[in-house]
Amino acid sequence: MTDNSRHVPVMLQRCLDMLAPALAEPGAVVVDCTLGLGGHSEALLATFPAARLIALDRDKEALRLSGERLAPYGDRATLVHAVYDELPEVLDRLDVPRVQGVLFDLGVSSMQLDEADRGFAYAQDAPLDMRMDQTTGISAAEVLNTYAPGELVRILRQYGEEKQAKRIVSAVVREREKEPFSNSARLVELIRDSLPQAAKRTGGNPAKRTFQALRIEVNGELSVLERAIPAAVKALAVGGRIAVLSYHSLEDRLVKQVFAAGATNTAPPGLPIVPERYQPRLKLLTRGAELPTEEEVAENRRAAPARLRGAQRVREDVG
């Protein structure tokens, strides 16, 4: 699959506008922490001709396809096989102490959803894999077949916000004893059969929340994000900007907490003058989370759950 044209980057223009003030100067470095098929990266290189791009992805196939797409930009683009919480090590290796822009587009890339054999999508039968980097870690099938029932219930509730977690897990445990899970269609069917009628009528495909939960567990997405967002903020030069697109409430809440903490005055109450070390390090660029427009959602259904937050580094850490 090499047709990158049908991959439409979510909220692309808004992300470019948000990062623009930090990327106009020659020598500016922007990091795309979630390269995917390279849609955002290509737009960053085209829009900011003076900027250099560093792009990370844990998926080797994504790096290969994006490498072809970004080849015309030559050495302005540096593509790195890494998970985005490895950003400090990547910048250290490339001898880049500070960057002017950072972009995260969280969630599954179009390529992973569209490649049938990756097992991310519940709409088609495929091996239950779900690893973004297929060279490491355990698959979704292993999680389903080997985790204790209580742990599976926790994952479905916490990562999938699935109210029927207990019902689904009871059915999974019963079925895996007969035969281990290997493909997505059997899991989708089991979820359908185990849910009450009322639960099937709301919120799209009833398997959606379980698949999300398994994907987050397999890839350690939330723990990676917990490390990655503070690390990205730390990498920003003063005046640098960060934009983060999230696709579910757990991600968005995490981003919101990091940004809010950075934008808060930490002085003890009652000080007549606030010393610089207590002043906020960040200025928020969005009021709450920005949503895609109705027009964009109509054109690109994958944009529907997106939430965009942005912040600007306003001072260095002091003492």
Side-chain angles (χ1 to χ4, degrees):
M1 188 204 70
T2 55
D3 176 15
N4 296 341
S5 59
R6 60 178 171 56
H7 169 58
V8 185
V10 172
M11 295 179 80
L12 176 60
Q13 194 54 51
R14 186 65 192 102
C15 289
L16 295 173
D17 292 346
M18 190 178 280
L19 295 172
L23 299 181
E25 295 299 311
V29 177
V30 60
V31 183
D32 183 347
C33 285
T34 45
L35 173 63
L37 281 179
H40 282 109
S41 277
E42 184 176 43
L44 287 164
L45 287 162
T47 309
F48 306 110
R52 173 187 169 197
L53 171 88
I54 298 168
L56 281 52
D57 208 293
R58 61 167 81 180
D59 189 323
K60 287 187 170 175
E61 182 63 3
L63 286 163
R64 186 184 70 76
L65 292 168
S66 295
E68 293 170 9
R69 182 176 188 166
L70 302 179
Y73 295 96
D75 60 5
R76 285 182 57 213
T78 304
L79 276 48
V80 184
H81 181 233
V83 185
Y84 43 70
D85 67 337
E86 297 174 282
L87 177 63
E89 291 83 356
V90 170
L91 294 179
D92 201 38
R93 227 170 34 235
L94 295 172
D95 203 21
V96 177
R98 284 281 190 271
V99 301
Q100 283 64 46
V102 180
L103 174 67
F104 285 86
D105 180 12
L106 304 169
V108 191
S109 85
S110 292
M111 183 195 73
Q112 288 159 344
L113 283 172
D114 294 338
E115 292 268 284
D117 62 354
R118 303 296 288 271
F120 284 95
Y122 36 81
Q124 50 198 355
D125 191 22
L128 275 168
D129 191 315
M130 297 196 198
R131 289 172 298 164
M132 290 181 187
D133 179 352
Q134 290 188 299
T135 64
T136 185
I138 66 167
S139 68
E142 288 175 80
V143 170
L144 277 177
N145 294 328
T146 64
Y147 276 31
E151 188 66 357
L152 284 174
V153 170
R154 180 191 68 78
I155 288 164
L156 263 59
R157 279 190 182 146
Q158 192 178 339
Y159 298 159
E161 300 177 280
E162 174 55 80
K163 294 184 176 70
Q164 306 293 332
K166 270 196 158 165
R167 275 179 190 252
I168 292 168
V169 169
S170 295
V172 164
V173 171
R174 194 169 59 243
E175 284 299 311
R176 77 186 186 186
E177 282 169 8
K178 298 178 195 167
E179 187 190 338
F181 282 87
S182 59
N183 275 46
S184 56
R186 183 175 166 217
L187 178 59
V188 172
E189 193 181 336
L190 174 143
I191 292 166
R192 278 216 172 89
D193 292 346
S194 53
L195 292 183
Q197 280 304 320
K200 291 185 210 181
R201 285 195 289 270
T202 57
N205 191 309
K208 180 179 170 181
R209 290 179 294 276
T210 297
F211 272 64
Q212 173 181 296
L214 287 170
R215 192 198 82 218
I216 289 172
E217 172 65 16
V218 164
N219 296 292
E221 287 174 44
L222 287 175
S223 52
V224 167
L225 191 62
E226 264 176 47
R227 295 187 292 272
I229 300 294
V233 167
K234 203 168 181 183
L236 285 176
V238 172
R241 291 177 166 225
I242 177 171
V244 185
L245 280 162
S246 309
Y247 293 83
H248 56 76
S249 58
L250 299 164
E251 289 174 342
D252 183 52
R253 198 177 310 144
L254 215 150
V255 176
K256 177 185 176 181
Q257 285 166 352
V258 174
F259 284 7
T264 302
N265 163 352
T266 56
L271 289 185
I273 295 172
V274 177
E276 190 183 345
R277 69 177 180 277
Y278 297 128
Q279 301 276 9
R281 288 170 299 135
L282 295 178
K283 180 178 85 175
L284 301 182
L285 300 173
T286 46
R287 292 183 61 179
E290 288 187 10
L291 311 181
T293 62
E294 286 176 21
E295 294 78 28
E296 179 171 2
V297 173
E299 281 173 28
N300 180 12
R301 62 187 172 77
R302 286 179 187 161
R307 303 284 178 271
L308 174 65
R309 291 181 189 271
Q312 180 178 13
R313 185 75 181 249
V314 291
R315 72 168 183 87
E316 283 288 358
D317 292 325
V318 181

